[in-house]
Amino acid sequence: MKISLLFLLFAVCISTVCEPALSLEFFRGAMSSALGHTGRAGLDSAESAFINPALLPLMPNNGMNIYYRDGYLEDGQHRHAVGAGVFDNSEEVFFPGSLHYLRLRDTGKLPTPVEGEVWHAALGYQAHSRWLLGASLYRLNHRQEGTSFEQWNGSLGTLFKITPDLGVALVIENPAHPGSEVPQNLREDLQTAIGFFGTVAEAAHLRFDLSRRERDNPDGKMAYMFGIETRSLEYLLVRAGFKRDEWSDQNLWTAGLCFNGPRLKLDYAFEKTSTASSGALHSVDLRLPF
């Protein structure tokens, strides 16, 4: 764990020299991105801390992740992200946890580019062999033309394992109300989500998530997400997904590959909306379990 923390501090120092990064949808790593933004009920990556912290007790031992994201999800909206994180689920810890640092940059949400950074911490707890709990806390700071907008928020999650190959999750995201000074397009608002995970004949992993904004959504518009993951070769996983967001009236198509080595793991994701005339969003994550 000491090595992981030293690596994280090193990554923070390096990122302060690089261009600030990340998108304003907050964050999705390459694994969830390739699976249609699903994964609340099952995601074998440290990025699960952003999606459902209750998944942390299922992580193998400890390790670190490096994140990179760049491209255009919509015309005129360039997104860029870089970050690093560490997680610890060794036998010595009572509460498995993770710590992430991300740099942000987004063009197109506001008249001028928005930069920022995120510190994100999460803890999980296995209350029962089938029932897991988790909580996260983050500080999100945006900067636009010399003005800073700070948000403190987090999430509460739970996972129930019906069988080892079937699970259901409930996540409450951003329960704290953002300040009125934060521009509407930058706010991380309250959202509830449920997720399902299942295995089909040990050949494919299926994920299905639903989410809903709980503020300023009188029509109860939902987002529907689906993802599938199959093993093509011994160390190669193939992923695909789809997301229908009624709030933004947007369809998102996703795909990806994973080199699932015995230690080194490399994830790639491709995302493209039905409304964008050109361009796409690309994500690459490096996972190094210890």
Side-chain angles (χ1 to χ4, degrees):
M1 187 62 183
K2 290 182 180 180
I3 296 176
S4 301
L5 291 175
L6 288 173
F7 170 81
L8 180 62
L9 292 174
F10 173 76
V12 170
C13 295
I14 293 297
S15 64
T16 59
V17 180
C18 301
E19 181 186 47
L22 201 126
S23 69
L24 299 178
E25 65 169 328
F26 194 13
F27 184 71
R28 283 290 185 272
M31 187 173 183
S32 178
S33 294
L35 292 167
H37 292 193
T38 61
R40 292 174 176 87
L43 206 63
D44 184 21
S45 170
E47 71 176 273
S48 61
F50 297 101
I51 301 169
N52 183 1
L55 299 175
L56 285 172
L58 302 179
M59 292 296 298
N61 298 319
N62 47 57
M64 61 186 180
N65 279 34
I66 304 173
Y67 306 98
Y68 179 81
R69 198 179 196 201
D70 190 85
Y72 291 84
L73 199 56
E74 288 288 349
D75 294 336
Q77 293 187 7
H78 180 252
R79 301 183 174 191
H80 180 68
V82 64
V86 295
F87 65 91
D88 191 348
N89 187 26
S90 56
E91 295 180 358
E92 294 80 11
V93 299
F94 187 71
F95 293 104
S98 68
L99 177 65
H100 285 85
Y101 178 80
L102 307 164
R103 296 297 298 266
L104 328 171
R105 184 175 178 86
D106 198 304
T107 302
K109 287 291 186 180
L110 295 180
T112 59
V114 179
E115 303 175 353
E117 65 178 1
V118 177
W119 281 100
H120 185 283
L123 293 174
Y125 177 65
Q126 186 156 0
H128 185 270
S129 59
R130 295 187 178 183
W131 186 34
L132 299 93
L133 305 170
S136 69
L137 174 69
Y138 68 82
R139 174 186 176 271
L140 171 60
N141 185 273
H142 288 119
R143 296 181 300 277
Q144 186 215 16
E145 293 187 324
T147 304
S148 180
F149 306 101
E150 185 176 80
Q151 300 179 66
W152 285 87
N153 226 312
S155 67
L156 300 170
T158 184
L159 171 68
F160 183 73
K161 300 283 289 183
I162 301 172
T163 70
D165 296 323
L166 182 63
V168 59
L170 171 66
V171 184
I172 301 174
E173 304 170 359
N174 306 308
H177 201 292
S180 58
E181 74 281 358
V182 180
Q184 187 68 40
N185 285 356
L186 302 183
R187 295 181 183 179
E188 296 293 331
D189 275 317
L190 176 64
Q191 181 173 267
T192 56
I194 58 175
F196 303 91
F197 172 85
T199 300
V200 179
E202 299 184 358
H205 293 160
L206 304 178
R207 297 170 175 88
F208 180 66
D209 289 16
L210 301 96
S211 65
R212 183 180 69 184
R213 296 172 183 250
E214 300 299 340
R215 298 191 179 106
D216 302 320
N217 186 15
D219 298 326
K221 293 182 178 180
M222 305 278 291
Y224 306 89
M225 295 149 275
F226 173 78
I228 182 170
E229 176 184 71
T230 63
R231 184 178 296 275
S232 177
L233 301 172
E234 182 179 4
Y235 295 123
L236 181 65
L237 302 177
V238 179
R239 297 167 178 151
F242 173 77
K243 178 180 180 180
R244 168 60 183 167
D245 191 338
E246 296 179 336
W247 177 271
S248 60
D249 192 24
Q250 181 188 84
N251 294 330
L252 178 69
W253 299 91
T254 69
L257 297 171
C258 171
F259 172 73
N260 190 37
R263 293 190 61 83
L264 173 69
K265 302 176 189 298
L266 185 66
D267 301 289
Y268 167 75
F270 172 91
E271 303 173 73
K272 188 172 181 62
T273 64
S274 57
T275 54
S277 59
S278 62
L281 188 60
H282 305 271
S283 301
V284 178
D285 296 353
L286 177 65
R287 293 184 280 156
L288 294 169
F290 296 146

